[in-house]
């Protein structure tokens, strides 16, 4: 850790404090003093939760975000091989704001949808460290886990998996994706999104990968009306209907554990999935 902190200090100044942001693990917030000015940065390196490839993906995604002036932290330094820092690492700005959502008001949900639409203005194909993503949080594949008997299943999840498999993935343009759009990865100032954070599962693919993940998360967190508000904000921003929404809603719902983190979350996920299947062509 000492070598890692020294590498970061060489880029931004004297590190006076290090604060883990995920229990006792990284990423870490660095408190820095440089020329008498106090600043904060976020340092990322592999942990039991985060592999080397995720560090590379996150750093590359931030380079794309800066190039297109998108709402995201700015990459300060990256050592993807670990030659300088002792381990693959990246260092980024820390954006002011909060990830807490005091309510699921229509205004806030529409603002979230509109902010997401801005990311998808970037059309791009796969490149090194930004692979094609067929589903949100693509490092997980709960549908396959259930199919192969590695996880219990239910009649609803089996039916949905069969229908989605038979339907097939729609042929759509490829855009820049965050990959893990949920309330905890969106920073707010008032009712405006200031940044999307935590880009370790970013990539490229259909816009529905991100849009339906946010719709699913909104449904689980705020109830069945919330996904409509997210979609409204998104479509108002783009000026045209989002394609294949029921398909991507089902994909997002299938990429969750059979039993979610609370009984309410499981019920809301199931209801969101049922609605998707009812509207699937």
């Amino acid at each position: 850790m000492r070598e890692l902190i020294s590498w970061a200090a060489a880029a931004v100044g004297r590190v006076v404090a290090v604060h883990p942001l995920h229990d006792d693990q990284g990423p870490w917030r660095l408190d820095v003093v440089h020329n008498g000015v106090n600043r904060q940065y976020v340092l990322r390196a592999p942990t039991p939760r985060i592999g080397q490839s995720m560090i590379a993906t996150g750093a590359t995604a931030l380079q794309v975000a800066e190039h297109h002036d998108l709402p995201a932290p700015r990459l300060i330094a990256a050592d993807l091989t670990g030659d300088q820092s002792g381990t693959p690492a990246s260092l980024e700005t820390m954006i002011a704001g909060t990830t807490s959502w005091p309510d699921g008001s229509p205004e806030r949900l529409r603002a979230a949808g509109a902010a997401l639409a801005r990311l998808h203005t970037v059309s791009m194909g796969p490149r090194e460290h930004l692979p094609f993503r067929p589903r949100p949080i693509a490092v997980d594949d709960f549908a396959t886990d259930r199919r192969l008997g590695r996880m219990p299943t239910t009649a609803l999840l089996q039916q949905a998996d069969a229908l989605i498999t038979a339907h097939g993935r729609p042929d759509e343009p490829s855009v820049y994706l965050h990959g893990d759009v949920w309330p905890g990865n969106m920073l707010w100032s008032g009712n405006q999104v200031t940044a999307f954070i935590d880009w370790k599962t970013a990539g490229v693919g259909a816009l529905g990968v991100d849009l339906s993940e946010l719709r699913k998360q909104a449904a689980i967190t705020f109830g069945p009306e919330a996904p409509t508000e997210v979609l409204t904000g998104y479509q108002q921003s783009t000026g045209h209907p989002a394609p294949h929404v029921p398909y991507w809603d089902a994909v997002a719902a299938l990429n969750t554990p059979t039993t979610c983190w609370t009984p309410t979350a499981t019920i809301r996920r199931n209801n969101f999935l049922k609605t998707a299947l009812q509207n699937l062509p």
Side-chain angles (χ1 to χ4, degrees):
M1 190 70 178
R2 182 176 299 174
E3 185 177 2
L4 182 60
I5 298 301
S6 296
W7 169 79
V12 294
R14 182 167 61 94
V15 177
V16 297
V18 179
H19 307 275
L21 296 176
H22 192 279
D23 298 327
D24 59 347
Q25 301 177 15
W28 301 269
R29 189 190 82 211
L30 305 185
D31 294 345
V32 171
V33 177
H34 182 62
N35 292 333
V37 178
N38 297 317
R39 292 191 175 93
Q40 294 180 330
Y41 299 88
V42 176
L43 175 65
R44 300 183 185 273
T47 68
R49 301 181 307 110
I50 301 171
Q52 179 175 342
S53 65
M54 291 181 173
I55 301 300
T57 289
T60 305
L62 293 186
Q63 290 176 318
V64 174
E66 182 170 11
H67 179 75
H68 294 280
D69 194 28
L70 298 175
R74 296 302 181 237
L75 185 68
I76 300 298
D79 179 13
L80 301 186
T81 61
D83 292 341
Q84 303 166 42
S85 57
T87 184
S90 68
L91 185 66
E92 65 196 56
T93 57
M94 188 162 189
I95 307 293
T98 177
T99 58
S100 65
W101 290 40
D103 58 54
S105 67
E107 293 76 17
R108 179 162 288 237
L109 291 163
R110 291 178 186 180
L116 181 59
R118 186 176 170 191
L119 303 186
H120 298 159
T121 59
V122 179
S123 298
M124 60 185 293
R127 63 176 65 177
E128 187 177 16
H129 306 312
L130 289 177
F132 173 74
R133 301 299 195 187
R135 60 186 172 275
I137 321 174
V139 293
D140 296 329
D141 190 352
F142 291 110
T144 295
D145 288 342
R146 283 186 286 265
R147 210 177 300 130
L148 297 179
R150 296 194 292 252
M151 178 180 286
T153 190
T154 67
L156 172 62
L157 293 171
Q158 282 183 313
Q159 177 196 21
D161 187 35
L163 288 171
I164 289 304
T165 301
H167 184 283
R169 188 169 58 243
D171 184 17
E172 296 182 52
S174 179
V175 300
Y176 178 62
L177 297 174
H178 178 277
D180 185 11
V181 184
W182 72 290
N185 282 340
M186 302 177 75
L187 285 175
W188 293 84
S189 178
N191 282 324
Q192 296 298 316
V193 176
T194 57
F196 291 85
I197 60 174
D198 196 5
W199 292 78
K200 64 181 180 289
T201 59
V204 303
L207 62 86
V209 171
D210 276 350
L211 175 58
S212 286
E213 177 65 10
L214 180 56
R215 280 168 48 81
K216 179 197 74 182
Q217 294 286 348
I220 290 173
T221 304
F222 300 116
E225 304 303 321
T228 298
E229 301 299 342
V230 170
L231 183 61
T232 296
Y234 189 96
Q235 293 181 155
Q236 286 177 343
S237 179
T238 63
H240 54 76
H244 309 294
V245 172
Y247 172 86
W248 292 112
D249 283 354
V251 169
L254 283 167
N255 204 32
T256 54
T258 301
T259 301
C260 296
W261 41 98
T262 67
T264 297
T266 302
I267 291 169
R268 288 180 170 180
R269 185 275 316 274
N270 287 346
N271 290 337
F272 180 75
L273 178 55
K274 289 175 185 177
T275 299
L277 298 182
Q278 290 168 1
N279 293 318
L280 193 68

